[in-house]
C-alpha cells in the first residue's frame, strides 16, 4: 500500500489548511509532522527537504512538494477534481485564484497591528460581500448546476466552501444574501468525506489563538 502523504507544517491552519481540506475531501488520508520550534524548521531547511526553504511541504507519491498551489494542483489532478478539459481547468484556476486572494487577506489578519485590525476586518467584509461572493453566486445562478464548474465537484468548490466557513466565523451575517452559496456550503459539507473532516477530532485546525500565533511568529521569524 502506498504511504500516506506526510504534511510538514506548523500545528495551525496557515497555508496548509487548504491542503488538509482538499486531501480530506478527496478521501486521501494523511499524516502530519508538526514543526514545533525554529530548530525543527532549520533541520528541514538544512537537510534539503524544502525547495525554497519554506513550508508547506508535502511528501507524496515519492516527491517532496513545495508551493501551496502546486501541491493543491497535484492533489486535484490526482483525484479528478480539476475539470475535464483545458477550458474547465481555466475556470477552476480563475475561481481558485479569486478565492486565494480573499483567503490571503484573512490569513494575514492576525499579523496586523491591533490598531489596524478593525479597518482590515472591515475591508475583508467589504471585499467578500461586494466583490467575491457575488461572483460565485452569479456563476451558480448562471448555469443552475450543483457545482461551480462542469456540474461536478472540483477543487474550486472545496476552496470556496473552506472560505465560506472562515467568513462565517468572522460574521455569520455575511452569507445572508447569497442563497446559492449557502446551498453549496451545505451540499459540499454533506459529502461523506467532508462531513467526516468537519467532525470534532478530525485533522481540521481551529482558529488561531494568541498563544499559537506567538509560537508561529518565533518559528517563522515574523517580526
Ligand atoms: N508561496 C509559498 C509561500 C510559503 C511561505 O511563505 N511559507 C512560510 C510559512 S507560512 C515560511 O515557510 N516562512 C519561512 C521562510 O520564508 O523562511 C507557498 O504558497 O507555499
Amino acid at each position: 500500500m502506498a504511504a500516506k502523504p506526510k504534511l510538514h507544517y506548523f500545528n495551525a491552519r496557515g497555508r496548509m489548511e487548504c491542503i488538509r481540506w482538499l486531501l480530506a475531501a478527496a478521501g486521501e488520508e494523511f499524516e502530519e509532522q508538526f514543526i514545533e520550534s525554529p530548530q525543527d524548521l532549520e533541520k528541514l531547511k538544512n537537510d534539503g527537504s524544502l525547495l525554497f526553504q519554506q513550508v508547506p511541504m508535502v511528501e507524496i507519491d515519492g516527491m517532496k512538494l513545495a508551493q501551496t498551489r502546486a501541491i493543491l494542483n497535484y492533489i486535484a489532478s490526482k483525484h479528478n477534481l480539476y475539470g475535464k478539459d483545458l477550458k474547465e481547468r481555466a475556470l477552476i484556476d480563475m475561481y481558485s485564484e479569486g478565492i486565494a486572494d480573499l483567503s490571503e487577506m484573512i490569513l494575514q489578519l492576525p499579523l496586523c497591528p491591533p490598531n489596524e485590525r478593525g479597518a482590515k476586518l472591515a475591508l475583508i467584509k467589504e471585499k467578500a460581500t461586494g466583490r467575491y461572493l457575488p461572483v460565485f453566486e452569479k456563476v451558480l445562478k448562471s448555469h443552475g448546476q450543483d457545482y461551480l464548474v462542469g456540474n461536478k465537484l472540483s477543487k474550486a468548490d472545496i476552496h470556496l466552501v473552506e472560505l465560506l466557513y472562515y467568513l462565517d466565523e468572522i460574521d455569520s451575517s455575511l452569507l445572508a444574501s447569497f442563497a446559492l452559496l449557502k446551498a453549496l456550503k451545505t451540499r459540499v459539507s454533506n459529502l461523506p468525506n467532508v462531513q467526516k473532516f468537519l467532525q470534532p477530532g478530525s485533522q481540521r485546525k481551529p482558529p488561531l489563538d494568541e498563544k499559537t500565533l506567538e509560537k508561529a511568529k518565533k518559528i517563522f521569524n515574523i517580526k
Side-chain angles (χ1 to χ4, degrees):
M1 204 175 71
K4 289 178 191 173
K6 192 190 268 189
L7 279 46
H8 296 262
Y9 199 68
F10 183 59
N11 187 5
R13 288 177 181 171
R15 294 186 192 282
M16 189 61 101
E17 192 69 355
C18 53
I19 298 171
R20 298 185 185 105
W21 263 86
L22 191 60
L23 281 168
E28 181 160 2
E29 291 181 9
F30 57 90
E31 294 171 357
E32 299 200 72
Q33 180 74 52
F34 294 126
I35 296 165
E36 299 284 3
S37 64
Q39 292 74 24
D40 285 351
L41 183 59
E42 259 330 286
K43 187 172 177 301
L44 277 176
K45 288 181 179 181
N46 291 338
D47 74 12
S49 292
L50 307 180
L51 187 63
F52 298 110
Q53 310 289 297
Q54 290 179 318
V55 287
M57 189 273 276
V58 175
E59 290 184 66
I60 184 167
D61 301 333
M63 300 178 286
K64 287 184 176 174
L65 295 184
Q67 290 292 355
T68 313
R69 285 161 164 88
I71 297 167
L72 292 170
N73 293 346
Y74 177 78
I75 296 164
S77 302
K78 178 176 173 180
H79 292 281
N80 205 12
L81 293 165
Y82 210 171
K84 67 167 168 14
D85 56 30
L86 277 174
K87 287 187 177 175
E88 283 195 359
R89 186 164 289 213
L91 290 177
I92 291 167
D93 282 339
M94 282 199 298
Y95 300 159
S96 298
E97 289 302 316
I99 294 161
D101 286 348
L102 185 56
S103 301
E104 183 69 21
M105 291 174 75
I106 296 173
L107 183 82
Q108 295 294 338
L109 188 62
L111 299 174
C112 208
N115 62 333
E116 291 172 20
R117 212 165 282 183
K120 251 296 166 19
L121 198 57
L123 185 65
I124 289 171
K125 292 186 194 184
E126 184 200 311
K127 293 283 183 216
T129 55
R131 175 178 293 179
Y132 293 100
L133 298 186
V135 168
F136 296 115
E137 182 82 4
K138 199 170 153 196
V139 168
L140 290 169
K141 195 168 180 197
S142 70
H143 55 44
Q145 296 167 350
D146 279 354
Y147 297 108
L148 287 168
V149 179
N151 207 14
K152 182 180 174 304
L153 182 72
S154 76
K155 74 193 279 283
D157 301 294
I158 297 158
H159 299 329
L160 179 56
V161 168
E162 181 191 353
L163 174 64
L164 296 180
Y165 272 93
Y166 300 151
L167 291 172
D168 213 32
E169 282 175 4
I170 287 173
D171 178 345
S172 59
S173 73
L174 289 176
L175 287 188
S177 55
F178 301 97
L180 298 178
L181 292 182
K182 283 193 279 184
L184 179 77
K185 184 166 176 258
T186 304
R187 187 174 304 117
V188 171
S189 300
N190 284 336
L191 298 171
N193 288 334
V194 177
Q195 208 173 45
K196 212 164 117 193
F197 189 60
L198 292 171
Q199 294 299 312
S202 81
Q203 286 160 297
R204 192 161 70 107
K205 305 294 179 259
L208 198 62
D209 58 43
E210 276 303 319
K211 205 171 141 216
T212 315
L213 174 63
E214 287 314 309
K215 197 171 162 186
K217 281 182 171 174
K218 281 205 183 82
I219 292 174
F220 296 113
N221 196 21
I222 300 168
K223 305 289 179 214

